[in-house]
Amino acid sequence: MINTEVDFAGIKMKNPVTVASGTFGYGREFSEFIDLNKLGAIITKGTFLKPKLGNKPARVCETAAGMLNSIGLQNPGIEYFRDNDLPWLRQFDTKIILNVGASCLEEYVEVCKIANTLDIDGVELNLSCPNVKAGCMACGTSYEGVKDVTAAVRKVLDKPLIVKLTPNVTDIAMIARGAEDAGADAISAINTLLAMKIDIEKRRPVLANNTGGLSGPAIKPVAVRMVYQIANAVKIPVMGLGGIMNGDDAIEFMLAGAKAISIGAGNFIDPTASIKTIEGIENYMQRHNINDINSIVGAVQMN
Amino acid sequence: MAIVEKVELVKKEQIKSDIYKYSVKSDKMANQAKPGQFLEIRVTDSIEPFLRRPISIHNVKKDEGIIEFIFQVKGKGTELLSERKEGELIDIIGPLGEGTFNTNGYEKIAIIGGGIGIFPLYELAKQVKESGKTVNMYLGFRNKDFVILENEYKEVANNFTLATDDGSYGENGFAINFLKDDISKNPVDCIYACGPLPMLKAVQALAKEKNIPCQLSLEERMGCGMGVCIGCAVKYKTETEDTFKRVCREGPVFDANIVEI
Ligand SMILES: Cc1cc2nc3c(=O)[nH]c(=O)nc-3n(C[C@H](O)[C@H](O)[C@H](O)COP(=O)(O)OP(=O)(O)OC[C@H]3O[C@@H](n4cnc5c(N)ncnc54)[C@H](O)[C@@H]3O)c2cc1C
Ligand SMILES: Cc1cc2nc3c(=O)[nH]c(=O)nc-3n(C[C@H](O)[C@H](O)[C@H](O)COP(=O)(O)O)c2cc1C
């Protein structure tokens, strides 16, 4: 018997495979394609205090081995989530992690106060969305900013707290320490890379918002490097993501130091990508006679 | 419920230099497909080009388990798709879209399509005509070189008008002008449209003016096509709701009175 179970910051997941915020909705759509019971955890769409309308279209476009998005965090608000999506999600034997967004520190605290009362397994703070201009979304780019928000949320949240980092910084390790120092239970990285695509015929950016976040295999090497740096800078566990499409990609992140991983845009290409990744990980374990998945976390040997 | 399946390309026809008709075999998809729905097609096994391509369902042969779709080669994705050979498997998700053409209670309908936007209208016309109701069809093309599938569409219409913008084939002018003339003499119960945005806007305005129910099939850039990324947003406005809806999920067919295009 091989063991794929991981204890991720107190969240006991049957395997390290989760689905990333904003790429899986609140689970309903993909329940048509896969058995949600098989997932380590579901991370919800970024949820705010109040519903958000999102940006004008075009909101997505394809780029080399990836895509840009500027959805603008369209979401129904936490009360809607509490009353409609959460009860539905709870029928499945998987962990539910609520991804929380906000446009100022006070809003993060307000949402997390409500989150603390919900039947969820953890909260992931999105400190990093590049698509919302105002306020606190920039607070993910400095040690102090990350520390302040994390500390404020920590005061009102007893559940496992995962802080999700933006890669749009010079020193990701230092930022991660900000979260750890303020009491975060885990880090997840990376969010999307701020990017732009120009339609050369129209001489205009393709996205209505001009810029958007790059995701998909194009960002994977950057993400692996950052996960490695974070894992070596903090003691709390790391959730690795960015361009994961299959089990091999997942293993690469785990070797770099991720204790759990997340499939993002890969879900769009293959709605069964998460399940295939679980199978791919088991397959790798068998091929390499690994009994416990935890043994490969951070097991990369540097040159 | 949509499924993801590798389906066999059983028949490939080139109907113009850059337009192909593919018949794929999938009992499950054919069984459920409704008029107005679409497929998300993976054009490669690799990660480049990355996203699936949304293509409408053109015709469904339920008894044979066949779905037909027609596409024009535009960029690298459709180019790759056009290189597939009969007997090969194509990775398809479908049928997608909960907003489909709804014909309940209508006896006489008008269907208007323009250019390569005519494809999702075929199955609709076919089903309505087969059920003994009346289909008035209006197709518009830029000029005679762009005219496609005239005979196929004629067969599924009771009254058929084909127009070209420059008059080089069929009637002279925009298809909507003929629709407009006809409905002022002979009203219809509902208008269905798919095509270029200017045409859809004109149809929407006409339907509003004449107070006729109208359903539009829309296109928007999609990330996933399955409703999770909320990339393909369209403005949706009622007395109680002012929001964005997903073209891939609540659409691609929308009530023209509510959707803002
Ligand atoms: C619901 C729906 C139904 C469609 N049905 C048909 C059909 O039946 N037949 C047909 O020929 N075409 C149809 N289209 C348009 C078709 O999806 C595009 O022509 C195709 O995606 C172009 O891909 P490409 O790689 O050749 O072009 P590229 O320009 O290289 O594509 C780059 C990216 O832009 C996207 N894109 C480009 N044009 C469009 C467009 N018009 N709409 C949405 N996304 C676009 C592509 O999907 C891809 O992600 C439909 C589009 C939608 C949204
Ligand atoms: C369409 C889309 C929407 C996203 N929405 C969110 C969100 O609401 N909150 C968040 O923290 N991350 C969001 N992300 C970022 C992803 O969770 C993930 O961090 C990023 O896409 C990198 O992973 P990937 O390359 O596997 O997609 C979104 C990504 C995409 C593509």
Side-chain angles (χ1 to χ4, degrees):
Chain A
M1 264 302 279
I2 55 170
N3 174 49
T4 57
E5 195 180 300
V6 295
D7 180 337
F8 187 78
I11 307 170
K12 288 197 174 48
M13 310 196 309
K14 58 181 74 157
N15 60 60
V17 178
T18 74
V19 286
S21 178
T23 67
F24 208 78
Y26 294 94
R28 284 181 207 267
E29 293 84 359
F30 275 11
S31 66
E32 291 183 20
F33 300 104
I34 62 170
D35 179 0
L36 302 187
N37 295 303
K38 291 193 170 151
L39 298 173
I42 294 172
I43 306 178
T44 70
K45 173 76 193 150
T47 305
F48 286 62
L49 193 57
K50 295 276 174 260
K52 276 178 86 75
L53 210 48
N55 290 331
K56 276 198 306 224
R59 293 174 168 190
V60 289
C61 72
E62 187 178 68
T63 54
M67 63 177 285
L68 304 188
N69 87 80
S70 64
I71 308 302
L73 300 166
Q74 179 173 346
N75 82 97
I78 190 163
E79 286 170 0
Y80 186 92
F81 167 74
R82 177 192 65 202
D83 299 337
N84 297 278
D85 296 303
L86 183 57
W88 181 85
L89 275 169
R90 268 302 170 209
Q91 68 181 294
F92 299 100
D93 175 24
T94 183
K95 303 295 173 182
I96 307 299
I97 299 170
L98 178 68
N99 180 284
V100 166
S103 49
C104 63
L105 188 141
E106 292 72 28
E107 189 184 348
Y108 277 113
V109 173
E110 285 312 306
V111 185
C112 288
K113 271 185 194 159
I114 301 175
N116 202 43
T117 66
L118 303 182
D119 178 22
I120 53 175
D121 298 292
V123 165
E124 179 181 62
L125 279 192
N126 175 12
L127 295 187
S128 49
C129 179
N131 302 325
V132 173
K133 285 187 199 86
C136 204
M137 280 300 177
C139 62
T141 55
S142 72
Y143 171 89
E144 289 299 332
V146 170
K147 197 174 144 203
D148 290 350
V149 181
T150 308
V153 166
R154 182 75 287 178
K155 278 193 204 129
V156 300
L157 187 76
D158 308 315
K159 295 176 187 296
L161 172 60
I162 306 163
V163 173
K164 184 167 180 181
L165 301 183
T166 172
N168 303 311
V169 297
T170 351
D171 185 353
I172 191 98
M174 188 176 75
I175 308 271
R177 273 188 223 112
E180 182 177 48
D181 292 347
D185 298 302
I187 302 287
S188 59
I190 58 177
N191 209 309
T192 54
L193 284 147
L194 189 57
M196 179 158 83
K197 180 182 166 83
I198 296 169
D199 180 331
I200 60 165
E201 303 303 324
K202 297 185 185 147
R203 300 191 180 186
R204 280 176 175 277
V206 176
L207 296 180
N209 192 45
N210 296 325
T211 59
L214 175 63
S215 63
I219 71 170
K220 199 186 85 182
V222 178
V224 170
R225 183 264 295 174
M226 287 190 159
V227 164
Y228 174 78
Q229 289 178 320
I230 296 166
N232 282 281
V234 298
K235 294 190 188 65
I236 52 179
V238 183
M239 169 106 61
L241 72 160
I244 299 178
M245 302 290 290
N246 53 44
D248 290 358
D249 295 340
I251 295 288
E252 193 178 342
F253 273 86
M254 297 191 79
L255 289 171
K259 196 167 189 185
I261 61 95
S262 215
I263 317 261
N267 291 310
F268 304 164
I269 311 314
D270 180 358
T272 68
S274 51
I275 303 300
K276 286 183 184 149
T277 299
I278 296 168
E279 290 162 4
I281 289 174
E282 288 170 359
N283 193 293
Y284 177 88
M285 290 172 74
Q286 269 146 10
R287 263 191 294 139
H288 291 268
N289 284 320
I290 297 162
N291 295 322
D292 182 1
I293 191 67
N294 291 283
S295 69
I296 69 157
V297 176
V300 62
Q301 292 186 315
M302 299 307 277
N303 299 323
Chain B
M1 271 202 328
I3 52 164
V4 48
E5 199 180 6
K6 288 204 165 127
V7 299
E8 187 188 338
L9 173 57
V10 290
K11 194 165 165 204
K12 170 177 179 175
E13 292 161 85
Q14 187 166 6
I15 55 180
K16 265 232 153 34
S17 63
D18 60 345
I19 298 182
Y20 294 83
K21 178 165 156 185
Y22 279 16
S23 305
V24 295
K25 171 87 180 153
S26 170
D27 292 315
K28 283 189 200 141
M29 286 188 207
N31 241 321
Q32 320 177 29
K34 297 193 194 82
Q37 287 188 305
F38 68 99
L39 309 168
E40 274 280 14
I41 303 180
R42 193 159 175 199
V43 294
T44 168
D45 287 336
S46 115
I47 51 171
E48 175 62 27
F50 188 56
L51 298 173
R52 287 174 181 263
R53 298 303 192 252
I55 301 287
S56 307
I57 293 173
H58 169 254
N59 185 24
V60 185
K61 298 178 178 167
K62 275 209 167 74
D63 43 344
E64 296 171 50
I66 296 286
I67 289 199
E68 294 177 353
F69 59 89
I70 303 178
F71 64 95
Q72 182 176 42
V73 175
K74 286 271 191 181
K76 53 185 187 294
T78 44
E79 172 89 55
L80 276 171
L81 186 59
S82 74
E83 290 164 7
R84 305 305 293 271
K85 298 188 185 67
E86 285 181 4
E88 289 182 3
L89 297 179
I90 306 181
D91 183 343
I92 296 183
I93 301 174
L96 291 162
E98 290 177 349
T100 56
F101 291 118
N102 179 1
T103 54
N104 280 347
Y106 303 139
E107 289 303 320
K108 185 173 174 189
I109 66 164
I111 294 178
I112 175 164
I116 65 158
I118 67 173
F119 305 138
L121 300 169
Y122 182 87
E123 180 67 18
L124 165 71
K126 189 185 83 181
Q127 287 194 13
V128 172
K129 195 179 173 202
E130 272 172 6
S131 68
K133 299 175 184 174
T134 305
V135 177
N136 295 343
M137 172 108 65
Y138 306 83
L139 300 185
F141 299 96
R142 207 176 303 164
N143 62 48
K144 72 169 190 308
D145 296 333
F146 287 83
V147 174
I148 39 169
L149 300 167
E150 182 185 358
N151 291 331
E152 284 88 335
Y153 277 78
K154 209 182 251 172
E155 261 176 43
V156 291
N158 301 83
N159 301 296
F160 182 79
T161 306
L162 190 155
T164 50
D165 301 355
D166 65 355
S168 55
Y169 191 84
E171 304 288 341
N172 186 353
F174 293 132
I176 186 165
N177 296 336
F178 300 93
L179 169 68
K180 197 175 188 169
D181 283 352
D182 288 353
I183 54 174
S184 46
K185 287 173 241 145
N186 264 315
V188 292
D189 300 327
C190 188
I191 302 172
Y192 301 83
C194 185
L197 200 56
M199 191 198 92
L200 293 183
K201 284 187 169 166
V203 173
Q204 187 183 35
L206 175 67
K208 242 176 215 162
E209 182 200 316
K210 304 277 183 195
N211 207 8
I212 300 174
C214 176
Q215 297 171 23
L216 306 175
S217 174
L218 303 183
E219 276 186 17
E220 182 55 63
R221 274 169 194 271
M222 292 180 174
C224 66
M226 295 168 275
V228 294
C229 80
I230 336 185
C232 54
V234 60
K235 203 76 202 261
Y236 193 87
K237 210 168 180 179
T238 64
E239 269 164 28
T240 55
E241 250 189 316
D242 180 5
T243 180
F244 281 112
K245 297 269 180 190
R246 299 163 293 185
V247 172
C248 72
R249 188 78 176 181
E250 284 82 37
V253 178
F254 289 94
D255 180 341
N257 273 318
I258 297 170
V259 69
E260 281 184 20
I261 52 173

